[in-house]
Every structure is written in structure tokens, then in C-alpha cells.
Amino acid sequence: MSLKQQIRAEVRKLRNALPCKDELSHRILSHVWELECISRAKTILFYIDVRDEVRTRRELERALISDQRIAVPYCEGDLLVCVELHAMSELQVGSFGILEPAYSIRENLSRIVAPSKIDVVLVPGVAFDQRGGRLGHGKGYYDRLLEQVRPGCIKIGVAFQCQLVEEVPTEPHDVLMDLIVTEQGVITPARPVQK
């Protein structure tokens, strides 16, 4: 088993056993809402939680009544495509039992949100570290999406405290998080000084 597989297995076990996920998720998203980058953002990309991820659905409903443009992703082949969401009723159960935008929304070209137009991305993951390293599920969907966002886009890793590990194995193409938010607060990753 590789180190990445080992970390995934250990963290998933911890996350699965975690009680009160709804309450902890609410705390996490409360910290997110307090961030200045969120209040300034014109367009925010939410993810829709699945399985044991930090629950975002309740906060997504809250976001939809704000003045901000809210987008959610869906899988198309090997890519995540982002579309503007206006109401929770525009979601349907799709592949693997995951909520995703209805086909009628996807087909509406005016609802497609280019990655270059996103100001803040809420990023799920299996594990994160203090440097901003992120370990996903291994399919690379978010890695490919994050490579396309504009340079000033703020990438926020959203996780339970049990998902923080000492070090996530990273490769040169991996995109680091600008912030990580857990139920205990906001972490600004320490980065090595460039010489």
C-alpha cells in the first residue's frame, strides 16, 4: 500500500467514526462565512457533500439567498464543469447517488461558470496538512479544476480536524490550499520562503 493509500484509509476511518458531523460541519462553515474573502467574493464555488465529507448543503441554501453568484460542479468525463445554481430544487441525484445540477441547468450555456471567473473555491478532500497540501480521492478532478482558476482565486480546504495530517505527499502539479478551515478555526498554511 502506498503512503497516499495508507493516509486515505486512516483518515477515512477517523472521519467515518466521527460523531456529530452535522454540528461540526455547521461550525466549520460558520468559520468560512466569517472570512473576508467570502464577503468580498462575487462568485463562490461550493461542493455538494457526499458520504462523510463536511456537510455543505444547509450552508449552500443560505448562500443561494445572498447577492453572490453560487456555482456547483459536476463531473463530465475527467473534468469538473461548474454551473451557476439558483435553487436547491435545481439539483438531482446523479451518478453514484451524488446530488448534481439537473440536465436542464447543464444544457443552459448562460449558466456555465468558467474557472477563471471564480473568486473562492470550497475544496473537499480526504486529508490536508499545515502547508496547504491536499489529498483527494485519487481521481484528480479537483486538481485539474484548480489548475484552471485565476491566480487570485482563494482555495479553501474544508475539513474536520481529524483530517489534518502531519504531511500530505505532494507532487509538483498539486495545487496548495490558501486556507484550511476546520471546526477549530482557520489555518493559514505555512509556506517555505522563496529565495
Side-chain angles (χ1 to χ4, degrees):
M1 183 183 289
S2 74
L3 180 56
K4 284 186 178 182
Q5 290 171 322
Q6 185 180 339
I7 292 171
R8 282 189 186 103
E10 289 172 6
V11 173
R12 283 180 178 143
K13 188 175 180 181
L14 289 171
R15 190 174 66 176
N16 184 46
L18 193 65
C20 310
K21 288 184 189 72
D22 288 338
E23 181 186 323
L24 294 174
S25 296
H26 177 67
R27 246 191 273 169
I28 293 165
L29 273 296
S30 293
H31 293 309
V32 169
W33 283 117
E34 292 170 1
L35 293 168
E36 187 179 335
C37 63
I38 292 289
S39 59
R40 285 194 327 248
K42 292 179 181 167
T43 303
I44 301 171
L45 180 66
F46 264 76
Y47 70 90
I48 301 167
D49 62 271
V50 63
R51 294 181 290 279
D52 292 322
E53 291 177 335
V54 172
R55 317 285 202 244
T56 57
R57 296 176 200 196
R58 188 166 75 179
E59 298 303 321
L60 178 56
E61 286 187 66
R62 172 183 169 177
L64 289 170
I65 60 172
S66 74
D67 292 335
Q68 293 160 311
R69 185 180 195 198
I70 304 300
V72 294
Y74 72 92
C75 293
E76 189 171 278
D78 288 339
L79 300 175
L80 286 180
V81 178
C82 308
V83 296
E84 184 176 358
L85 191 68
H86 295 164
M88 294 297 283
S89 60
E90 295 178 332
L91 298 173
Q92 65 184 22
V93 177
S95 305
F96 312 108
I98 298 171
L99 271 183
E100 54 188 32
Y103 286 107
S104 58
I105 307 305
R106 299 183 203 180
E107 294 168 354
N108 183 341
L109 294 180
S110 69
R111 299 284 284 274
I112 301 294
V113 178
S116 61
K117 300 295 183 188
I118 297 168
D119 300 308
V120 175
V121 180
L122 300 186
V123 186
V126 176
F128 296 89
D129 67 23
Q130 298 283 342
R131 298 173 306 115
R134 172 187 169 271
L135 183 62
H137 294 281
K139 304 291 186 194
Y141 288 107
Y142 270 89
D143 295 321
R144 287 186 287 277
L145 174 68
L146 294 175
E147 288 171 353
Q148 299 176 52
V149 299
R150 64 181 182 77
C153 178
I154 305 296
K155 297 161 288 299
I156 303 175
V158 180
F160 298 112
Q161 190 70 25
C162 69
Q163 293 176 253
L164 289 182
V165 298
E166 189 173 324
E167 186 175 348
V168 167
T170 55
E171 297 172 36
H173 67 270
D174 289 330
V175 177
L176 298 176
M177 300 295 100
D178 297 300
L179 299 169
I180 299 165
V181 182
T182 75
E183 66 270 22
Q184 293 185 16
V186 179
I187 299 164
T188 302
R191 303 265 166 76
V193 177
Q194 298 292 330
K195 297 194 176 192

